[in-house]
Amino acid sequence: MDTTATPSGWNLFVARDDLSTTKLVDAPIPEVRDGEVLLRVDRVGLTANNVTYAALGDSFRYWEFFPAPAGWGIVPLWGFAEVVASRVDGVEPGSRHYGYLPCASHLLARPGRVDERGFRDASPHRKTLPTPYSAYALTTGDLAYEADRENLQILYRPLFWTSFMLADWIVDNAWLGARTALLSSASSKTAYGAAFLLQGQGHEVVGLTSRRNLAFTESLGCYDRVLTYEDVSQLSPAAPILYADFAGDESLSATLRTHLGDALVHHVVVGVTTQQPGPAGKLADTGPGMFFAPDQMRKRIDDWGRAGLDRRFADAWQRFAPVVEGWVDVVHSNGPQALEQVWHEVQSGRTAPRTGHVIAL
Ligand SMILES: NC(=O)c1ccc[n+]([C@@H]2O[C@H](COP(=O)([O-])OP(=O)(O)OC[C@H]3O[C@@H](n4cnc5c(N)ncnc54)[C@H](OP(=O)(O)O)[C@@H]3O)[C@@H](O)[C@H]2O)c1
């Protein structure tokens, strides 16, 4: 069956074996068949987290959300999209949704479980992929949606869910017996969100960052202490330490193991800002050691119910949002070429930690 119409869409492909190689190509806009909807990608954010999706694209199956030609991948982004055509009852053209979107002009979805909160993409290729990434939240049915805070939602909602679930997991597990929580890539949005939630609970929260981001990270005030990667020897091996590893840097981990010895009571990998897929890829095979927010979400849905979890998250977000507005400069750009440029900037690690890129497409 011919599924093409006018060739006025586009895809941004990234080479799977070299994330600094990209290709922006025209693409036909898919025809919408029974049971499908077409969304136009409207506004998205791009942070180190999206680069991690690519770095772990094979081991964590992130490449499978938006299929691409062999050797290439379409990086997942978070943001808003508008339904431009629908052949599904209850999904109206013109409706606006927040969710997991491709680096592309359009997303063809096959909604299942349509209700006033939105829909899930039940496309066959997503059947065995983690479900939180398949939810498309309708702005009119989303209690946490605030029209004047769309940019914050674009940038922080998935990151702060991870900050929230990580902090919750640490508290739920009695800090894994540690006195101190140590967070690497401390200037990252996800790490400082977790520090914000962990601070002031009778444990020390220490950030590790690069020299160039030391002043920024200290200025946040959410860490009790901030050290550069060169200064880890200042950490005392006398008290137990939990290492929440956002950097995924194997040599830093080895230095910490050597310096802290038995004081390093737990090491959990949360991210790989350094784009070294090795340790996280290995951990993916065995499970323990890698923090995956949806796992703790499932546990809390069992404990508190979905409404209880959402209420606690909303409370945390309402405390964090007015604070984080002062920590980020939203940098706007427009169009697919700008998206490609922002990808190169973020992927190469040149972005200042105060910057939050939002791209209108
Ligand atoms: N497990 C999960 O479910 C989950 C969910 C969300 C996010 N995360 C992870 O959390 C991490 C942070 O994501 P984010 O979006 O919050 O990041 P972000 O705000 O864009 O973080 C930027 C910071 O990351 C470090 N960084 C960025 N690029 C780098 C590079 N090329 N090499 C070395 N360091 C680099 C730098 O921190 P320093 O100078 O402080 O080192 C930089 O200031 C990512 O690895 C992400 O995947 C995990």
Side-chain angles (χ1 to χ4, degrees):
M1 180 187 286
D2 178 20
T3 57
T4 62
T6 37
S8 54
W10 53 268
N11 289 317
L12 177 61
F13 295 122
V14 170
R16 292 187 187 202
D17 60 357
D18 173 10
L19 303 182
S20 65
T21 298
T22 56
K23 189 167 70 167
L24 186 58
V25 295
D26 288 341
I29 296 175
E31 187 183 295
V32 183
R33 291 168 292 194
D34 276 348
E36 293 178 337
V37 299
L38 184 67
L39 296 113
R40 184 184 63 76
V41 180
D42 181 52
R43 203 136 56 99
V44 293
L46 212 168
T47 70
N49 184 41
N50 305 98
V51 181
T52 300
Y53 291 143
L56 303 182
D58 289 318
S59 50
F60 280 77
R61 304 179 63 194
Y62 290 117
W63 290 132
E64 294 179 39
F65 284 90
F66 308 116
W72 297 93
I74 295 182
V75 175
L77 306 170
W78 290 94
F80 289 96
E82 272 180 25
V83 174
V84 289
S86 172
R87 292 185 63 178
V88 176
D89 286 344
V91 182
E92 301 306 323
S95 57
R96 189 165 175 78
H97 294 73
Y98 180 80
Y100 209 47
L101 299 169
C103 273
S105 56
H106 293 82
L107 170 66
L108 187 68
R110 177 166 282 277
R113 247 182 58 181
V114 178
D115 61 24
E116 68 285 350
R117 293 179 57 174
F119 66 85
R120 281 189 180 279
D121 185 359
S123 294
H125 71 275
R126 286 193 169 199
K127 212 170 170 192
T128 60
L129 296 173
T131 52
Y133 299 109
S134 288
Y136 291 85
L138 187 58
T139 52
T140 52
D142 179 357
L143 293 176
Y145 175 74
E146 297 168 286
D148 57 349
R149 283 207 171 124
E150 273 202 357
N151 291 330
L152 279 197
Q153 181 174 337
I154 286 171
L155 287 167
Y156 285 94
R157 186 179 281 196
L159 305 184
F160 194 64
W161 262 110
T162 299
S163 309
F164 177 76
M165 296 313 327
L166 176 69
D168 177 67
W169 174 79
I170 289 172
V171 173
D172 195 24
N173 286 283
W175 294 65
L176 289 304
R179 276 273 313 121
T180 297
L182 177 69
L183 286 69
S184 56
S185 296
S187 66
S188 70
K189 296 169 185 62
T190 315
Y192 66 57
F196 173 87
L197 294 168
L198 289 169
Q199 200 186 31
Q201 298 196 35
H203 294 254
E204 189 188 28
V205 180
V206 177
L208 279 182
T209 188
S210 50
R211 277 197 193 118
R212 70 183 180 122
N213 293 329
L214 177 66
F216 168 81
T217 310
E218 286 177 330
S219 77
L220 302 176
C222 60
Y223 295 98
D224 297 313
R225 201 151 57 107
V226 183
L227 299 173
T228 66
Y229 297 119
E230 291 76 16
D231 287 337
V232 293
S233 60
Q234 290 181 23
L235 290 165
S236 166
I241 292 185
L242 151 70
Y243 177 35
D245 180 1
F246 291 80
D249 180 336
E250 290 199 68
S251 72
L252 173 64
S253 301
T255 303
L256 287 169
R257 276 195 299 272
T258 305
H259 174 63
L260 296 172
D262 290 343
L264 185 61
V265 291
H266 199 87
H267 175 185
V268 59
V269 179
V270 190
V272 281
T273 56
T274 52
Q275 301 168 39
Q276 300 173 15
K282 267 182 251 149
L283 287 162
D285 297 334
T286 54
M290 184 75 200
F291 182 77
F292 190 54
D295 292 341
Q296 181 67 6
M297 282 173 80
R298 263 190 296 278
K299 191 213 174 228
R300 285 314 201 182
I301 290 169
D302 287 346
D303 291 347
W304 300 331
R306 180 76 221 192
L309 174 63
D310 286 349
R311 194 177 57 250
R312 285 170 174 84
F313 176 77
D315 287 349
W317 173 249
Q318 273 156 23
R319 283 194 292 125
F320 184 62
V323 174
V324 80
E325 268 174 327
W327 293 356
V328 64
D329 294 329
V330 177
V331 174
H332 296 273
S333 53
N334 288 284
Q337 284 83 7
L339 177 67
E340 187 174 27
Q341 273 174 21
V342 170
W343 168 262
H344 287 293
E345 187 201 294
V346 175
Q347 191 272 328
S348 62
R350 283 181 279 127
T351 308
R354 267 200 81 84
T355 294
H357 280 292
V358 170
I359 308 102
L361 296 167

